[in-house]
């Protein structure tokens, strides 16, 4: 082959390489609305419809940010805020009650591009706890704020404050009264935490989670949600994960980071990593699930409970929403 034809060949090869379109991510946003004892037939048709609609709207709102060139962090925050504003999920408005008959909320958000994170615990009067986490990420030198300090910071940042009564729902109040009467330490039925993971057009992954915790929790208990690496984790090029379930187990086994570490160090794909972690968690007594996205937009939503409210959306498709195991 002459030098000239070799150069032509190299040029053609370079051009074809450049013109191969990058594969579109399979999904750009995945969300959950909690894992737990949600069996087919245990949820009325009208409630099922309401839950589906709320999850679909959250997915559409988050996707709109990505498709207009916005960041995965904004998409995660927007999707979660929609769920926090609904009384149907155990986060924001629908948060469950503590033993002291209060609402104490936890939240976290992580930016996979920078490794920066923001988390808050013991929020009692800020309308959207995910906004507190986001403000910590953006505006604080710290990563994790708690209680009155976190609220003071949130107010300084101009976040919307509400009376604690804003978070009152009769069904959650009845649940804590029932749990206290039956001496259950913490009540696990429909766990109901919310979370989101997004992948934007710059390839940045973000993950966020928000929760009221567990009914009848006591002594300032903090769950896995605001513990970075346990309930929430994001790392560009690897994955983003948001968890839901019995937080104590997710903390002990550092679930979200374990999934990322298996992908990073043991070369597992996101399906193997997430499924293995959630299966072995059950063997250790930990109930719940995770949602996740890798850098190609592959979605995982494994859980080891009868159900998990969940869904995902691609750049141009319809939202896909599910609740039960089968
Ligand atoms: N993981 C949350 C917690 O332990 C509860 C949940 O996911 O529903 O606080």
């Amino acid at each position: 082959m002459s030098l000239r034809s070799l150069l032509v060949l190299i040029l053609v090869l370079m051009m074809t390489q450049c013109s191969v379109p990058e594969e579109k991510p399979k999904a750009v946003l995945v969300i959950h609305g909690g894992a737990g004892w949600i069996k087919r037939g245990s949820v009325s048709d009208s409630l099922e419809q309401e839950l589906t609609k709320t999850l679909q709207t959250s997915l559409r709102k988050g996707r709109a940010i990505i498709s207009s060139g916005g960041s995965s962090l904004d998409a995660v925050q927007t999707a979660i805020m929609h769920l926090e504003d609904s009384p149907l999920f155990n986060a924001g408005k629908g948060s469950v009650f503590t033993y002291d008959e209060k609402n104490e909320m936890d939240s976290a958000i992580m930016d996979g591009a920078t490794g920066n994170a923001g988390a808050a615990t013991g929020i009692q009067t800020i309308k959207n706890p995910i906004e507190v986490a986001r403000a910590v990420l953006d505006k604080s030198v710290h990563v994790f704020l708690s209680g009155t300090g976190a609220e003071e910071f949130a107010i300084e940042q101009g976040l919307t404050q509400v009376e604690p009564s804003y978070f009152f729902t009769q069904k959650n109040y009845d649940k804590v009264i029932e749990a206290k009467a039956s001496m259950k330490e913490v009540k696990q039925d429909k766990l109901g935490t919310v979370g989101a993971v997004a992948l934007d057009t710059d390839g940045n992954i973000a993950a966020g989670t928000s929760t009221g915790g567990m009914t009848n929790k006591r002594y300032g208990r903090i769950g896995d949600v605001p513990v970075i690496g346990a309930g929430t984790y994001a790392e560009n090029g690897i994955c983003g994960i948001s968890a839901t379930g019995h937080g104590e187990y997710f903390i002990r086994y550092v679930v979200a980071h374990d999934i990322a570490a298996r992908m990073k160090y043991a070369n597992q794909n996101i399906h193997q990593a997430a499924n293995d972690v959630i299966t072995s968690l059950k063997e250790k007594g930990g109930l719940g699930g995770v949602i996740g996205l890798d850098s190609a937009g592959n979605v995982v939503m494994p859980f080891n409970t009868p159900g998990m409210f969940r869904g995902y959306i691609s750049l141009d498709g319809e939202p896909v929403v599910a609740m039960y195991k089968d």
Side-chain angles (χ1 to χ4, degrees):
M1 191 187 286
S2 70
L3 185 63
R4 191 162 175 266
S5 39
L6 186 66
L7 285 173
V8 171
L9 184 66
I10 291 173
L11 199 68
V12 169
L13 276 174
M14 280 171 66
M15 281 170 62
T16 37
Q17 283 287 312
C18 297
S19 61
V20 171
E22 275 210 2
E23 222 186 290
K24 257 212 270 169
K26 294 179 185 77
V28 292
L29 178 65
V30 55
I31 60 171
H32 70 76
W37 276 253
I38 329 153
K39 283 195 179 138
R40 203 176 283 284
S42 69
V43 179
S44 70
D45 287 353
S46 61
L47 181 57
E48 208 175 277
Q49 277 168 22
E50 248 189 285
L51 286 160
T52 304
K53 210 173 116 208
T54 311
L55 292 166
Q56 286 172 336
T57 307
S58 161
L59 285 166
R60 287 206 168 92
K61 282 186 162 184
R63 192 255 307 270
I65 308 257
I66 305 280
S67 49
S68 60
S71 72
S72 49
L73 275 175
D74 285 346
V76 161
Q77 183 180 338
T78 301
I80 289 181
M81 281 175 74
H82 186 73
L83 301 174
E84 283 180 339
D85 289 342
S86 161
L88 300 178
F89 300 97
N90 173 19
K93 171 73 188 145
S95 291
V96 297
F97 284 86
T98 65
Y99 176 87
D100 295 326
E101 300 173 20
K102 290 182 179 154
N103 307 99
E104 290 175 1
M105 292 154 273
D106 298 339
S107 61
I109 191 162
M110 184 161 185
D111 180 3
T114 60
N116 199 359
T121 183
I123 299 296
Q124 295 189 36
T125 68
I126 305 299
K127 182 168 172 276
N128 290 102
I130 194 69
E131 283 195 308
V132 186
R134 180 67 191 271
V136 174
L137 186 153
D138 286 342
K139 312 263 178 58
S140 167
V141 293
H142 306 302
V143 168
F144 194 178
L145 303 184
S146 71
T148 49
E151 299 215 325
E152 190 185 323
F153 171 76
I155 293 157
E156 272 172 28
Q157 297 303 320
L159 302 187
T160 306
Q161 199 178 19
V162 288
E163 290 298 324
S165 59
Y166 166 79
F167 300 104
F168 182 88
T169 55
Q170 192 64 48
K171 76 169 174 20
N172 286 336
Y173 186 70
D174 292 346
K175 257 203 260 174
V176 77
I177 298 301
E178 187 207 318
K180 281 163 77 166
S182 64
M183 302 293 283
K184 277 202 183 134
E185 257 181 49
V186 286
K187 190 160 163 57
Q188 263 194 296
D189 50 2
K190 260 177 256 154
L191 299 169
T193 290
V194 308
V197 180
L199 172 67
D200 63 28
T201 50
D202 293 326
N204 293 325
I205 302 178
T209 319
S210 177
T211 188
M214 296 180 86
T215 294
N216 208 20
K217 65 181 180 177
R218 208 173 175 186
Y219 308 120
R221 178 260 189 194
I222 302 169
D224 58 313
V225 165
V227 178
I228 298 300
T232 309
Y233 189 72
E235 185 172 338
N236 269 17
I238 309 291
C239 67
I241 299 289
S242 167
T244 170
H246 197 158
E248 279 68 8
Y249 289 86
F250 284 73
I251 295 175
R252 284 180 200 146
Y253 299 106
V254 204
V255 165
H257 188 266
D258 189 18
I259 295 170
R262 284 163 183 257
M263 294 175 67
K264 202 168 155 179
Y265 305 123
N267 240 354
Q268 289 193 343
N269 65 40
I270 194 165
H271 295 283
Q272 291 168 316
N275 288 331
D276 285 1
V277 168
I278 292 305
T279 304
S280 72
L281 195 70
K282 187 170 188 182
E283 286 155 15
K284 294 161 186 155
L287 298 175
V290 295
I291 52 159
L293 275 182
D294 69 10
S295 48
N298 289 302
V299 176
V300 285
M301 306 187 289
F303 52 96
N304 61 30
T305 50
M308 180 167 87
F309 300 127
R310 61 200 187 276
Y312 65 90
I313 195 163
S314 59
L315 265 185
D316 36 30
E318 289 298 309
V320 177
V321 164
M323 291 179 197
Y324 313 108
K325 191 147 248 161
D326 33 46

